[in-house]
Amino acid sequence: MESTLLVDLSRAQFALTAMYHWLFVPLTLGLSFIVAIMESLYVKTGNEEWKKITKFWMTLFAINFAIGLATGIIMEFEFGTNWSNYSWIVGDIFGAPLAIEGIMAFFMESTFFAVMFFGWNKVSKKMHLLSTWLVAIGSNLSALWILVANGWMQNPVGMEFNVDTARFEMKNFWDVLFNPNAVSKFLHTIASGYVMGALFVIGISAWFLLKRREILFAKRSMIVAASFGLLTSLFLVFSGDESAYQVAQNQPTKLAAMEGLYDGHSRAGIVALGQLNPDKQIGDNQEEFLWSLEVPYALSFLGYRNINAFVPGMDDLVFGNEELGIESAQSKIEKGKVALDALKEYKNAKKEGNLIAATTNLQTFRDNECYLGYGYLDDPKSIIPPIGLTFYSFHIMVGLGGWFVALFFFVLYFSMIGKIEDKKLLLNAALFSIPLGYVAGEAGWIVAEVGRQPWAIQGMLPTGIATSSVDETAVMITLSLFAIIFTALLIAEIKIMLKQIKIGPQGESHV
Amino acid sequence: MNILRKIFYFYIDGFKNMGVGKKLWLIIGVKFFIFFVVMKLLFFPNILQTQFTTDEQRADYVIENLVKER
């Protein structure tokens, strides 16, 4: 395994680029659909006010899209340089989805973007509307392929490890595409983007109402965004439940960390609020929480659809639980080392032309292959992800998700009864909820990615082995450069966006 | 031919009449230069592509990394 500093720097660099990338993506996903709905209303009613509304939000969509464009490509650079082992090993699995993503994004978005922005009064209303919808659908389909790849890392299915090419090879494309982790992750992620888009529109509309500007524009925008936001935030809760169910099935250590569950038990409750005991260690008898509020039975039910189900805690997963058939991490580590030794001996036997030894070792490898990643670990406790970061990120995400449902409900209610402009507190809450949407989205990714440590590919490849042997100083330099460049881009986005918002929908609306 | 002309002028008119889009294209240009020229060429070589010539060599290198003593 590479030095801890190199692995940490490579992870920090990837996390920085991914988190900055995710500042731009969710708004693209959500705002594209909101704009398409607004334009549909324009085409249906012929009311010019809807056209003005559509063009204003379309301009903000363009700013976000342009600034965020290609920030994701940096991660592909990093795969080749900082994660070359990983990149090679997964190349056969990721090649197809990422190629489809690239082609689809390029052709759909570049073609229909032009019509969407340059086509007002030049193509028919229906053609323009179709283009707007296709941009929205295309953006969301791009996300599908990336999330299929990510879902596979969380739950590697439909593949076999080729011992001669050192690659996971795809055996069944449909298993990879319809991997339950990928499906739930895709739905949950795009739903979070829709909620972000709705929060953005509501927050800025609230600002106009607080300033007593563009009243009709703001109220109409709010009704569309609050309706869209309420529906999608409820779907976010539903897809989040399915996501957590998949985590319970395939990544029990992540679930235990999300809930701060050390000692597993039946009829387990969910900690709605709580403070982890910082002195608590795996296997000791200290209390898990300094204080907590628990919803009884909920974790058993949500994780296993049965209120009596046993939910394994971190102690069970590290030390094993014979009574319940849970294998200890030590046992998995030993089997992983057998797999690694067999792989090594297989390669040696092939080099020497000893086919009998090669066949025997290959069989031993296959028998223990599913423990491969554990062979790189020495300490059974290292299967546990960072508990504090995973637990608090999860609870921040869930708490904010609940707040967004309530916010959309009240904004929609007061908008429908025509009293929204009098509700100053609610309007201020809507305005200040824009950054909260970003906080929730980033927290969700922290749960997904920090929570699956120590694995780059669940159970098969630890992060430390996935890292390239590169110069630590080079990684430090690029990490700093990315921090500077992305921060500059973020500042540019905020400045251009604020200027355009202040101009308002009455101003020049050409992109 | 007429259609190609129409498409050509569609884009030309679109670019001519851009407002905030001009600033956005400038940012996109600068960003692409930094990402694809500066960063990619100076800091992000594809290690396996540059150090080895065949897939077999690349596979051997990765296998060595996977099974080396730790």
Side-chain angles (χ1 to χ4, degrees):
Chain A
M1 210 171 293
E2 302 303 336
S3 81
T4 310
L5 177 63
L6 175 63
V7 175
D8 287 346
L9 283 169
S10 299
R11 285 182 62 201
Q13 186 196 58
F14 198 85
L16 178 90
T17 41
M19 289 181 86
Y20 263 107
H21 182 54
W22 193 250
L23 288 177
F24 303 108
V25 175
L27 193 56
T28 296
L29 297 178
L31 199 51
S32 59
F33 271 117
I34 294 177
V35 166
I37 293 167
M38 288 168 167
E39 191 177 343
S40 301
L41 289 167
Y42 163 60
V43 172
K44 188 165 172 53
T45 61
N47 184 326
E48 287 296 312
E49 182 69 20
W50 280 115
K51 184 178 181 183
K52 191 176 81 177
I53 291 170
T54 305
K55 288 183 92 171
F56 175 78
W57 294 112
M58 202 177 265
T59 304
L60 299 190
F61 168 78
I63 294 167
N64 180 67
F65 187 89
I67 307 274
L69 188 70
T71 49
I73 203 85
I74 296 297
M75 286 184 275
E76 287 201 29
F77 296 171
E78 289 169 13
F79 282 141
T81 303
N82 304 84
W83 305 93
S84 59
N85 290 334
Y86 163 84
S87 191
W88 176 263
I89 290 167
V90 302
D92 189 68
I93 305 282
F94 285 15
L98 295 185
I100 296 171
E101 193 269 340
I103 293 164
M104 188 176 273
F106 180 78
F107 284 106
M108 275 193 89
E109 290 171 6
S110 60
T111 306
F112 296 108
F113 246 77
V115 179
M116 184 171 159
F117 291 111
F118 297 162
W120 289 108
N121 305 323
K122 289 185 181 166
V123 296
S124 71
K125 277 184 186 176
K126 283 185 179 170
M127 179 62 203
H128 193 277
L129 178 64
L130 178 69
S131 301
T132 307
W133 275 103
L134 286 174
V135 166
I137 292 165
S139 305
N140 280 261
L141 281 180
S142 292
L144 168 70
W145 300 108
I146 298 290
L147 293 166
V148 163
N150 186 277
W152 184 86
M153 288 155 69
Q154 315 270 348
N155 179 29
V157 293
M159 55 76 190
E160 186 179 83
F161 186 72
N162 184 324
V163 290
D164 295 312
T165 61
R167 289 189 128 160
F168 286 105
E169 292 179 349
M170 196 185 293
K171 290 291 163 198
N172 189 328
F173 174 76
W174 302 109
D175 281 354
V176 174
L177 180 60
F178 294 113
N179 176 359
N181 277 62
V183 173
S184 61
K185 183 167 277 294
F186 170 66
L187 296 175
H188 194 52
T189 306
I190 58 166
S192 76
Y194 301 157
V195 167
M196 186 62 242
L199 286 171
F200 181 79
V201 173
I202 284 177
I204 290 170
S205 302
W207 180 80
F208 278 114
L209 289 180
L210 285 166
K211 294 277 173 193
R212 298 277 169 208
R213 281 183 57 189
E214 316 292 350
I215 304 293
L216 181 62
F217 155 84
K219 283 163 82 174
R220 284 191 174 180
S221 296
M222 264 192 164
I223 287 184
V224 171
S227 309
F228 184 72
L230 185 59
L231 285 174
T232 54
S233 60
L234 290 172
F235 182 68
L236 188 68
V237 174
F238 167 76
S239 59
D241 167 61
E242 180 57 26
S243 224
Y245 175 76
Q246 293 304 330
V247 168
Q249 312 310 308
N250 304 309
Q251 297 172 298
T253 49
K254 185 196 275 188
L255 184 76
M258 281 157 66
E259 274 301 305
L261 184 68
Y262 286 78
D263 187 18
H265 46 270
S266 304
R267 302 185 193 101
I270 275 183
V271 174
L273 273 176
Q275 185 181 358
L276 290 167
N277 178 354
D279 297 327
K280 170 74 180 160
Q281 300 291 322
I282 305 280
D284 72 13
N285 291 321
Q286 294 191 65
E287 289 294 323
E288 296 168 342
F289 292 93
L290 297 178
W291 61 269
S292 64
L293 286 174
E294 196 176 294
V295 182
Y297 308 112
L299 189 59
S300 288
F301 181 72
L302 294 175
Y304 298 91
R305 306 294 188 238
N306 176 354
I307 59 165
N308 296 314
F310 179 86
V311 182
M314 289 173 266
D315 290 354
D316 304 283
L317 296 160
V318 169
F319 302 113
N321 186 328
E322 272 187 44
E323 197 183 321
L324 292 155
I326 298 171
E327 190 173 7
S328 72
Q330 184 59 43
S331 164
K332 291 179 182 175
I333 287 171
E334 284 161 14
K335 289 177 184 172
K337 290 193 187 302
V338 170
L340 276 177
D341 286 343
L343 182 61
K344 189 176 181 180
E345 291 308 316
Y346 166 80
K347 291 302 285 183
N348 290 338
K350 274 208 83 174
K351 260 186 207 161
E352 291 160 5
N354 185 342
L355 283 181
I356 296 172
T359 309
T360 312
N361 280 298
L362 182 58
Q363 190 53 52
T364 308
F365 174 78
R366 292 288 178 218
D367 291 344
N368 296 279
E369 185 182 356
C370 60
Y371 299 100
L372 179 65
Y374 289 90
Y376 297 104
L377 306 179
D378 291 317
D379 179 4
K381 291 177 187 170
S382 62
I383 66 163
I384 301 299
I387 300 164
L389 188 53
T390 310
F391 173 85
Y392 289 115
S393 300
F394 176 64
H395 284 76
I396 287 170
M397 177 190 72
V398 172
L400 288 173
W403 160 243
F404 299 150
V405 175
L407 178 71
F408 291 133
F409 174 79
F410 286 115
V411 169
L412 184 61
Y413 174 73
F414 287 113
S415 296
M416 297 297 280
I417 63 169
K419 291 191 174 171
I420 188 70
E421 62 261 55
D422 303 329
K423 303 291 171 191
K424 291 261 165 53
L425 188 62
L426 186 60
L427 293 174
N428 275 302
L431 179 58
F432 289 104
S433 289
I434 296 177
L436 295 183
Y438 289 103
V439 170
E442 299 288 1
W445 276 111
I446 290 171
V447 175
E449 301 306 300
V450 173
R452 75 175 151 104
Q453 296 306 313
W455 307 113
I457 304 169
Q458 184 73 28
M460 304 303 278
L461 187 73
T463 314
I465 302 298
T467 319
S468 307
S469 181
V470 289
D471 183 27
E472 287 165 359
T473 315
V475 186
M476 263 187 240
I477 291 170
T478 48
L479 174 62
S480 314
L481 276 174
F482 283 148
I484 294 166
I485 292 168
F486 282 122
T487 306
L489 286 173
L490 187 62
I491 292 169
E493 160 141 5
I494 292 170
K495 281 185 80 169
I496 299 170
M497 197 82 98
L498 287 178
K499 190 179 168 194
Q500 204 64 30
I501 291 166
K502 280 178 188 163
I503 293 169
Q506 303 295 353
E508 187 241 342
S509 57
H510 280 298
V511 171
Chain B
M1 205 57 195
N2 199 25
I3 287 179
L4 287 177
R5 262 175 71 99
K6 274 187 176 172
I7 293 172
F8 177 75
Y9 282 108
F10 175 83
Y11 277 91
I12 292 294
D13 286 349
F15 282 115
K16 267 186 192 167
N17 294 320
M18 278 192 309
V20 69
K22 284 177 185 149
K23 198 181 284 179
L24 297 177
W25 274 109
L26 180 69
I27 290 173
I28 289 171
V30 171
K31 190 169 55 172
F32 273 35
F33 177 77
I34 293 172
F35 285 0
F36 290 100
V37 180
V38 181
M39 299 299 263
K40 178 67 183 159
L41 294 184
L42 297 183
F43 295 104
F44 286 96
N46 186 313
I47 289 181
L48 296 178
Q49 290 297 329
T50 51
Q51 290 183 357
F52 305 100
T53 47
T54 66
D55 276 357
E56 199 177 341
Q57 289 172 336
R58 292 179 191 113
D60 282 343
Y61 171 79
V62 174
I63 286 266
E64 285 301 319
N65 275 339
L66 290 182
V67 299
K68 73 183 176 190
E69 295 297 330
R70 292 166 202 286

